[in-house]
Amino acid sequence: MTLRSALHTAYPWIKTPLIASAPMLRIAMPPLAVAVSRAGGLGFLAAGYDVATLETDLEHAARLVRESDPPIRQAPVEKGVLPIGVGFINWGADLTASLEAIRKYTPCAVWFFGPVSQPDDLIPWAKQVRAVTSGRTRVWVQVGSVAEAVAVAEALEPDVLVVQGSDAGGHGLARSASVISLVPEVRDALAERGFDNIALLAAGGIVDGRGVAAALALGASGVAMGTRFLASHEATIAPGYQAEVLRASDGGISTARSTVYDRVRDIHGWPRRYDGRGVINESYVDAVERGMADEENRRLYVEETMKGDAGWGPKGRMTTYAGTGVGLVRDTLPAGDIIKRVLLEADETIKRLAGERSDTLLTLP
Ligand SMILES: Cc1cc2nc3c(=O)[nH]c(=O)nc-3n(C[C@H](O)[C@H](O)[C@H](O)COP(=O)(O)O)c2cc1C
């Protein structure tokens, strides 16, 4: 079976190339996840590192799916599977507490990211999720290097690897390459070891159809996008944050990778190999350029939280996690329209390139 038909079998409602919305902590909640799947993508609900509200969130998602008109297409064999995935941040998420909710709602996929020990900590997660859902919940893992991809493939045989490059918004490996070299090197490394059956999705800096066409050329079956969906109607996001995503441009300059955004927000669980990409603001400038101590920087951050939406922006201190593709995000749209537009653009790009290629061939001596 080709990777494309395997994806169609597992997720019968999807259009290909597959577009997944990333499980962004506190932002990718049921309305966004369900809207993405309803439009032919695969929406992920963010469970994050504290799964206290997972069951309530899944109940909410299940209600939105039931109310979907037209319904989200399910093959008979997959009846009873919730057509959204759930993303865990494994350094903090509790497996036992998560399993009951997974068993009860059977999301179509789980997405693992950020274990303390990669891949060892993920082995019980994959085994037990597959056991409680009889394999109906597929296993996805987000990785950021060739070594991680090979280790995870060998230890878990995931259904999908989300290959995250350095342009990605939010957390990722501090030492990382962009998808332009990472995805093909991962594809080759997996092929050499007989893992051609694992689908790859490229993540990091992809916000439009041109990026999707590029991801396919690199050997991916689709993409996972986070930053683009920050500017969607269904994202659970402060207006100040969303306005900053629309304002920022030239993402290689206006965003940076750092741990400062975790430190000012008093989040200390991330394994040392991770940092996070966000739009540069006063927290960053104070820490990196002015050498401000964390304690003072955090105090100023806490003060800033009182300002509401005015706290975002280059002169503000509220964190704007976003990827380098932020400059290509220029409008806020319903998530379904984002999927439609990106798929159309990808199709046009591929057709245009195919046309240009034929012209070249015709002019060769
Ligand atoms: C605001 C934000 C929050 C994120 N939160 C998570 C998360 O909770 N779990 C996770 O696996 N990845 C998270 N990510 C990373 C995404 O999974 C993905 O790798 C990234 O968004 C892809 O790059 P892009 O933002 O350029 O599309 C987050 C990304 C952003 C922008």
Side-chain angles (χ1 to χ4, degrees):
M1 201 188 315
T2 63
L3 281 175
R4 189 188 164 110
S5 51
L7 289 171
H8 268 298
T9 307
Y11 321 107
W13 63 89
I14 61 162
K15 300 188 166 108
T16 46
L18 174 56
I19 298 181
S21 57
M24 296 180 283
L25 191 57
R26 288 188 273 277
I27 296 171
M29 301 311 287
L32 178 58
V34 174
V36 167
S37 288
R38 193 185 290 132
L42 207 168
F44 275 84
L45 166 74
Y49 43 78
D50 175 1
V51 298
T53 63
L54 178 57
E55 186 149 351
T56 325
D57 292 336
L58 282 169
E59 178 54 41
H60 182 190
R63 182 165 53 74
L64 294 178
V65 168
R66 278 197 303 275
E67 290 167 358
S68 269
D69 184 21
I72 301 176
R73 197 160 70 88
Q74 296 270 14
V77 67
E78 299 294 344
K79 276 260 156 59
V81 170
L82 195 61
I84 62 158
V86 180
F88 294 94
I89 296 177
N90 295 83
W91 59 255
D94 183 82
L95 172 57
T96 313
S98 306
L99 273 181
E100 182 49 28
I102 292 171
R103 190 197 55 74
K104 190 163 165 194
Y105 291 95
T106 323
C108 68
V110 285
W111 160 314
F112 301 144
F113 182 52
V116 173
S117 174
Q118 175 94 286
D120 296 359
D121 292 353
L122 299 182
I123 295 171
W125 277 85
K127 208 184 252 175
Q128 293 187 48
V129 166
R130 283 171 169 147
V132 296
T133 64
S134 307
R136 293 187 307 159
T137 296
R138 306 305 210 273
V139 172
W140 294 32
V141 182
Q142 179 162 252
V143 293
S145 68
V146 179
E148 279 194 347
V150 167
V152 167
E154 285 172 345
L156 318 181
E157 279 213 49
D159 298 276
V160 172
L161 280 173
V162 179
V163 181
Q164 186 197 40
S166 52
D167 290 306
H171 287 87
L173 291 183
R175 288 171 62 200
S176 48
S178 79
V179 290
I180 204 89
S181 57
L182 182 58
V183 170
E185 195 176 344
V186 167
R187 187 75 278 167
D188 290 350
L190 294 183
E192 273 167 28
R193 292 161 178 83
F195 292 116
D196 301 278
N197 55 329
I198 299 176
L200 304 183
L201 295 194
I206 299 164
V207 288
D208 64 18
R210 294 170 294 183
V212 173
L216 299 182
L218 296 170
S221 301
V223 302
M225 301 195 301
T227 299
R228 174 60 266 204
F229 288 108
L230 292 174
S232 67
H233 290 180
E234 295 85 353
T236 304
I237 185 169
Y241 189 157
Q242 206 163 50
E244 181 60 357
V245 169
L246 296 181
R247 185 204 62 80
S249 62
D250 204 0
I253 299 293
S254 62
T255 72
R257 304 200 69 92
S258 177
T259 55
V260 68
Y261 303 117
D262 283 325
R263 300 196 318 262
V264 294
R265 291 179 310 147
D266 212 16
I267 297 168
H268 301 286
W270 283 95
R272 284 178 62 110
R273 61 188 189 277
Y274 294 96
D275 61 10
R277 184 180 287 282
V279 180
I280 290 176
N281 65 8
E282 282 291 292
S283 306
Y284 178 88
V285 174
D286 276 342
V288 175
E289 290 171 20
R290 303 186 185 120
M292 184 183 281
D294 280 356
E295 201 181 326
E296 173 65 356
N297 212 344
R298 168 150 176 78
R299 190 187 65 71
L300 293 171
Y301 169 84
V302 172
E303 247 175 55
E304 194 85 358
T305 58
M306 309 298 166
K307 293 190 186 164
D309 289 318
W312 274 272
K315 291 287 159 205
R317 292 176 181 278
M318 302 307 293
T319 301
T320 304
Y321 276 133
T324 60
V326 70
L328 292 165
V329 181
R330 301 181 184 118
D331 47 9
T332 301
L333 292 172
D337 289 1
I338 294 174
I339 302 263
K340 236 184 262 164
R341 189 201 271 183
V342 169
L343 284 174
L344 191 68
E345 273 174 4
D347 194 50
E348 283 168 2
T349 306
I350 292 162
K351 287 197 178 118
R352 181 172 53 76
L353 292 174
E356 282 170 12
R357 184 177 168 271
S358 323
D359 291 349
T360 318
L361 286 179
L362 287 175
T363 55
L364 284 178

